Amino acid sequence: MFVLQVAVVLVLVVAAVAALVLQVRRDGTQAARDRSLAVAETLANSPGTVGALRSADPTARLQGPVEAARKRSGVDFITVMNDDGIRYTHPIKNRIGKKFVGTIRPALEGHVHTETVEGTIGKLVQVVVPVTDGDGRVVGLISAGIKIEKVSGVVDRQLPLLLGAAAVALVLAMGGTALVSRRLRRQTHGLGTLEMTRMYEHHDAVLHSVHEGVLIVGGDGRLLLANDEASRLLDLPPDAQGRHVTELGLEEPMLRLLHPGRVATDEVLRAGDRLLAVNNRSTDRRGGPPGWVTTLRDTTELRQLSSRVEVARKRLELLYEAGGGIGTTLDVTRTAEELARVAVPRFADFVTVDLAEPVLRGEEPGGRVPALRRVAVHGIREDQPLYPTGEAIAFTASSPQGRGFRSGQAVIEPRLGDADGWLTADPERSARVLEYGIHSLIAAPLSARGVLLGVVEFWRSEKPEPFEEDDLDLAAELAARAAVSIDNARRFTREHGMAVALQRSLLPRALPEQSAVDVASRYLPAQAGVGGDWFDVIPLPGARVALAVGDVVGHGLHAAATMGRLRTAVHNFSALDLPPDELLGHLDELAARVDKDAIEEGGETAITGATCLYAVYDPVSRTCVLARAGHPTPALALPDGTVEFPDIPPGLPLGIGGLPFESVELPMPEGSGLVLYTDGLVERRDKDIDIGLDLLREAVAGAGRSPEETCDAVLEALLPARQGDDIALLVARTRVLDPGRVAEWGVESDPSAVGGVRSAVAAKLAEWGLEEQGFVTELILSELITNAIRHAAGPITVRLLRDRALICEVSDHSSTSPHLRHAATTDEGGRGLFLVAQFADRWGTRYTKHGKVIWTEQDLPDEA
């Protein structure tokens, strides 16, 4: 009954409305079409329309006149567009430049097309008319239209009658409706029409507002539903619903998925320039209608974001590795090479580093564009045509490097072929670089603490994409980190050079001439910093020689200066001709006194912990007396090729005090080798010192090698790859003074014995061909022997040595030291030592176990 009543009412209402609407629509639509066609035809045939369409800015020329025509004609819109349907004019200005909503193909073929569409301003009747030039070619389109509601006003006038009839019908139906309403509520689970409407509205709102596309395709392959997101992602036409999926212009993979259809789970398919994650399921499961439901999710932005995150992560990794890989050493060139290696190949295909010449010397460069030298080149291949290492480079002001110097900022050249400043700097090499395939460059200045040190260039060839603006930050960060390390290395180089210069100035520049030993030496400063290692060869009276080697704790200028003080003290004490143990005792007292003064002044101890070995070799007695203060034992190479490490009491390092030092006297056959060294030669952190001593023994072993050859063999066997401490090496091979060059006489304590000694000395000098020195020598010996007889006790011995000088020695058993004084004119004596000092070139006194020796030296002529 409910259906019958509703049907009667609907039939009456629909019949009346249909009759009215059909009549009004027919008349109104025809009127609207005629008016729109007239307006569009008029504008299409207007003389200025074709010219305006072909102008540079059609909108500027057409928008005003077209809007004026629209207002005068009473149509709702007039749109001028190109043959692609892009609007040049529109009543709503933000629609200009957008795609025309409607069919334009018939008009492009030269026909007038009329249609009813849902346009941007509502449902309307629109006419599309072609605009043709003199040759009949379509150069544009004009569409005019009127909203249907304008021509349907007659409906409003006839609505009362229609509504009255409907009201009567509804009254008749209300009774039946009331009877069946209760049953209807039961069937709808209590939901009324309002709730049903709200549920539908919510369903529709959710369907079209979710950020996921939804498609429903029927079993016949027609599109039943597409929400807004699906239409956007697949770029579906407005009338897509109801059309077969093959008519929607979908790409082949998406088309095969929708028809005939297949199950898919998060399958990535391309739709234009988008990547879509697609899920597809059948709707006929559990008795549903045949078809497929498809969900689409745009992953393009997510992938782009992931790509940017990945790029940022890789850059952070590169910067992290740069922090640990750049500046591992305090070497300027090594640091530049580390910068080049870190950036290849992840950031650049080739990296070059150019530093100012003063930086390589440890100095601070001056000027804004210093003279540069290439110090590092690294890349994915070795055959690149860039400037090689060692090349001096002068960049022009217009080059990327020159611009970077002026601005202090990294400069990018995305396309080197267009960089005039770079091309003109060196046209020939630039052409080779471009031909090689290098196409993009970033030049970043190396600046630290306001000082411009150089420039680093990042080049790309294999990577097709050029450098971008975002790459400038990474290049600048790499350059900044490297610049700090290079500046630290530069400062270290300067200080290291100063320390090396100071130390070398304090070390012997040339070994003195003497006849006791053949000597060779090596000094190798540490790579990490100059230390206080030193050595010395000091000629002593009586044809003897002193050999010294020492080591000061620490590195740097302070250690070098301390070494110089110790070496000077050793020279001064050796001038007193002290035995080795006494000399080390005085040196220990000096170190303790200096340290005490330093502590009282608030400074740090300077000498405590220094070591020293002092040896005196006598080529006449063929003995060597040694003493050491905490220093490693020397190696003794005997003439038969065997090597020993003599047992010498070690003593404590200098400045500590305590037990006295002890000397050891060793016999030294002619040709024996004495190897003195510092601990840097044999000690390693990762090896026991015994291993180093064994290697030293093997290197020194072998007879017949010269000191120079021994030095080379020792360094070849023991020099580490990276030297962490100074190394001082002194090798001496002993000689023996020919017995024929030595003469010795015993003298009785009687003044009459002086004449006999003088005669014997004169005869020996004649034998040696030194008659010219006879008078002076007899005078010197007469004075010395007379003084010994008068003031000394015990046996007196006279020894004459012919070495590089003529040496006269008078020894006795008295420890009384003679003193040189100036006698008054009335004094009868006191002029003996004065005469000796005047006639001898050098003279002095040394003490022995049994007394003292007064000696003199006279230089011999070259022919002697």
Side-chain angles (χ1 to χ4, degrees), residues 31 56 145 192 241 308 355 471 492 510 562 639 744 761 812 816:
Q241 293 190 20
R308 289 195 294 270
L355 296 180
D471 296 320
F492 172 78
T562 302
E744 187 172 333
V761 168
D812 57 54
T816 303

Side-chain angles (χ1 to χ4, degrees), residues 498-508 523 530-536 538 548-554 556-573 587 590-591 594 606-607 610-612 654 726:
M498 293 171 59
V500 169
L502 173 61
Q503 188 173 41
R504 291 196 181 278
S505 68
L506 297 175
L507 289 171
Y523 172 72
V530 174
D533 291 16
W534 59 278
F535 64 90
D536 214 337
I538 306 171
V549 64
D551 186 1
V552 176
V553 176
L557 291 173
H558 194 65
T562 302
M563 176 271 290
R565 299 172 73 177
L566 285 180
R567 179 170 175 259
T568 301
V570 169
H571 266 271
N572 292 334
F573 291 143
L587 202 61
L590 172 66
V594 171
I607 299 179
T611 64
C612 181
L654 300 176
D726 285 14

Side-chain angles (χ1 to χ4, degrees), residues 47-67:
T49 302
V50 175
L53 286 171
R54 291 179 173 175
S55 66
D57 191 357
T59 298
R61 296 184 57 179
L62 292 173
Q63 176 70 9
V66 168
E67 280 301 290

Side-chain angles (χ1 to χ4, degrees), residues 107-288:
L108 294 175
E109 296 174 356
H111 306 295
V112 175
H113 179 70
T114 303
E115 61 183 355
T116 302
V117 297
E118 185 71 30
T120 58
I121 59 175
K123 192 170 183 180
L124 47 83
V125 176
Q126 63 183 16
V127 178
V128 182
V129 177
V131 180
T132 58
D133 59 9
D135 298 329
R137 291 180 299 180
V138 176
V139 297
L141 305 174
I142 297 180
S143 176
I146 301 177
K147 289 190 289 187
I148 292 177
E149 64 183 10
K150 271 192 175 183
V151 296
S152 59
V154 67
V155 176
D156 298 333
R157 294 191 297 271
Q158 298 183 14
L159 277 179
L161 177 61
L162 180 63
L163 293 177
V168 173
L170 288 174
V171 170
L172 295 175
M174 285 178 61
T177 304
L179 296 175
V180 299
S181 60
R182 187 175 302 172
R183 182 179 178 182
L184 180 62
R185 286 184 178 274
R186 287 197 302 267
Q187 291 178 343
T188 60
H189 302 283
L191 293 176
T193 55
L194 183 60
E195 288 82 1
M196 295 284 289
T197 302
R198 186 180 296 114
M199 184 178 68
Y200 173 79
E201 290 174 349
H202 288 174
H203 173 270
D204 189 65
V206 170
L207 180 66
H208 291 284
S209 63
V210 295
H211 195 62
E212 187 166 341
V214 179
L215 296 174
I216 299 178
V217 180
D220 59 353
R222 294 188 177 276
L223 181 64
L224 302 180
L225 183 144
N227 69 348
D228 294 345
E229 182 68 7
S231 299
R232 183 185 72 86
L233 295 176
L234 297 178
D235 197 19
L236 297 178
D239 57 347
Q241 293 190 20
R243 297 172 61 179
H244 199 277
V245 293
T246 57
E247 301 173 1
L248 302 180
L250 300 176
E251 297 186 11
E252 188 64 24
M254 182 67 72
L255 185 60
R256 288 198 305 269
L257 182 70
L258 298 178
H259 183 74
R262 60 181 175 83
V263 176
T265 301
D266 287 335
E267 184 174 330
V268 178
L269 298 178
R270 181 173 292 278
D273 58 351
R274 297 185 178 94
L275 293 175
L276 305 180
V278 182
N279 291 274
N280 200 35
R281 295 290 186 275
S282 174
T283 60
D284 59 2
R285 294 181 298 175
R286 300 180 182 178

